[in-house]
Amino acid sequence: MKRRQFIRALGGAATSSVLWPFMAQAQQEPVVIGVLHSGSADDQVNLVAAARQGLKEAGYTEGQNIRIEYRWAEGRYDLLPGMAADLVDRRVALIIAAGGTDPARAAMAATSIIPIVFVSAADPVRAGLVASLSRPDGNVTGINMIGAMLEAKRLELLRELVPQASTIGVLINPKYPAAKIQTQEVQDATARLGVKLVLLNASTEQEVDAAFADLVEQKAGAVLACNDPFFGSYRGKLAALALRHKLPAMSFRREFAEIGGLLSYGAVFEESYRQAGVYAGRILKGAKTTDLPVMQPTKFEMVVNLKTAKALGLAVSESFLLRADQIIE
């Protein structure tokens, strides 16, 4: 090798050795995504863990090759547009919008380019998130847990468990996008079941207190808290108020029964959030939102709290318990 060639080769090797740490750092820079949620971080620990698991299954591990920017509205839906805009300004690669349709709507208003994966119990077509479940359009797809369409089923189960209840109270959050659909569904269901309906609106903690006082005054024999992120966040208070007033209570999340509520029925939330993580990972690897149909749950679970039933003086039949996916004793 000639002297000039040797010097050039040596210089190239030295340059590569100097640049490599910086090149490796650039290559290993984690992708950044956003999570926009209407609820609070403390209330969603298990669901966030499920979403992380889905991302991991798709090849993305938080703290290694992905970083997540979390935005929690804590029930203040008016904060969502600003939070969505902030995530867009930070140029996240994708947004997971969960906790009702409002986070997804806020994200859609903020960007028509960044992919959005929603997790919502309301009908995404009626809510305007997608035009079709099988072929979502634009930059949006996600998981529809169909929880808002299960209120009639919940009332039937509650009535079966508490057959002596001639009056049933129903709590609905009027700010929830599917509130009108829920109202119509519970009105039809109570008419079919032949029970009196006491329909009460509540979107704040104070209104929940007032609603229970009203239920006691109207001698309701049971109460259903409809599918809504607000009621999910306040499940502990709802369960405590129901027990205090000796009211058999039902809601949509397993955690409601686990914390002291009598009964819960709904989709397996963790599975829906895990699937949202899988979808997010697939999109980050190049899949198009338009090629990922909106998914719906195939498994639903019923949880009965026998300890609460005993405290209320309720006898739960063996046949009813056999249908339960979990029994808390």
Side-chain angles (χ1 to χ4, degrees):
M1 181 183 290
K2 292 182 179 180
R3 182 172 181 272
R4 182 177 296 176
Q5 291 174 323
F6 175 76
I7 293 172
R8 186 181 297 120
L10 185 63
T15 301
S16 297
S17 66
V18 171
L19 288 178
W20 167 247
F22 298 100
M23 293 168 63
Q25 184 178 6
Q27 290 172 353
Q28 295 172 4
E29 190 71 25
V31 63
V32 182
I33 70 169
V35 169
L36 181 64
H37 202 289
S38 62
S40 60
D42 292 343
D43 180 50
Q44 306 294 326
V45 174
N46 60 325
L47 302 184
V48 169
R52 287 199 196 103
Q53 177 60 33
L55 282 163
K56 188 175 183 179
E57 291 173 18
Y60 292 92
T61 301
E62 189 175 17
Q64 294 182 17
N65 59 348
I66 192 169
R67 182 163 61 85
I68 305 176
E69 290 276 346
Y70 296 95
R71 297 293 182 273
W72 304 99
E74 298 185 345
R76 295 185 57 186
Y77 294 94
D78 58 303
L79 297 179
L80 290 168
M83 290 178 170
D86 179 56
L87 289 174
V88 172
D89 288 342
R90 291 175 183 270
R91 298 181 180 179
V92 295
L94 177 143
I95 297 174
I96 296 177
T101 55
D102 286 287
R105 284 173 170 167
M108 290 171 67
T111 179
S112 59
I113 299 173
I114 297 173
I116 298 166
V117 177
F118 65 80
V119 183
S120 175
D123 184 336
V125 175
R126 286 188 178 184
L129 303 187
V130 294
S132 166
L133 296 180
S134 59
R135 292 195 61 82
D137 49 352
N139 59 322
V140 183
T141 189
I143 316 300
N144 172 218
M145 297 189 294
I146 68 174
M149 294 172 272
L150 294 174
E151 308 304 351
K153 176 66 174 179
R154 295 187 183 104
L155 280 171
E156 289 170 6
L157 290 170
L158 184 59
R159 171 67 167 169
E160 183 181 350
L161 186 57
V162 194
Q164 68 272 23
S166 58
T167 300
I168 295 180
V170 175
L171 300 181
I172 289 181
N173 180 0
K175 296 180 181 179
Y176 185 55
K180 290 183 179 179
I181 297 171
Q182 289 174 325
T183 299
Q184 186 62 56
E185 190 169 348
V186 298
Q187 287 174 337
D188 292 344
T190 50
R192 186 171 61 253
L193 293 169
V195 297
K196 179 184 176 182
L197 169 65
V198 178
L199 189 62
L200 297 169
N201 289 331
S203 57
T204 67
E205 194 171 355
Q206 293 74 23
E207 288 175 348
V208 169
D209 287 327
F212 269 87
D214 202 355
L215 289 172
V216 172
E217 186 178 340
Q218 298 201 45
K219 295 182 171 55
V223 60
L224 166 69
C226 285
N227 194 111
D228 170 63
F230 169 71
F231 294 138
S233 297
Y234 281 91
R235 58 185 177 272
K237 182 179 180 66
L238 289 169
L241 282 170
L243 194 57
R244 184 189 309 166
H245 294 295
K246 300 294 182 182
L247 274 172
M250 182 176 189
S251 196
F252 61 99
R253 281 182 63 171
R254 170 170 47 83
E255 293 88 347
F256 175 74
E258 290 177 340
I259 207 168
L262 175 64
L263 183 65
S264 70
Y265 178 78
V268 180
F269 272 56
E270 287 88 348
E271 177 57 23
S272 294
Y273 276 74
R274 185 195 68 81
Q275 189 58 55
V278 171
Y279 259 23
R282 290 178 63 182
I283 292 168
L284 291 174
K285 286 188 172 180
K288 297 179 181 179
T289 54
T290 52
D291 293 333
L292 298 175
V294 174
M295 295 192 70
Q296 292 183 319
T298 56
K299 182 181 179 182
F300 301 88
E301 60 180 359
M302 181 172 75
V303 182
V304 181
N305 190 317
L306 270 186
K307 184 178 178 181
T308 299
K310 291 176 182 177
L312 295 170
L314 283 177
V316 184
S317 69
E318 189 67 25
S319 61
F320 194 91
L321 290 176
L322 285 172
R323 287 148 53 198
D325 296 279
Q326 182 181 351
I327 300 171
I328 299 170
E329 300 186 76

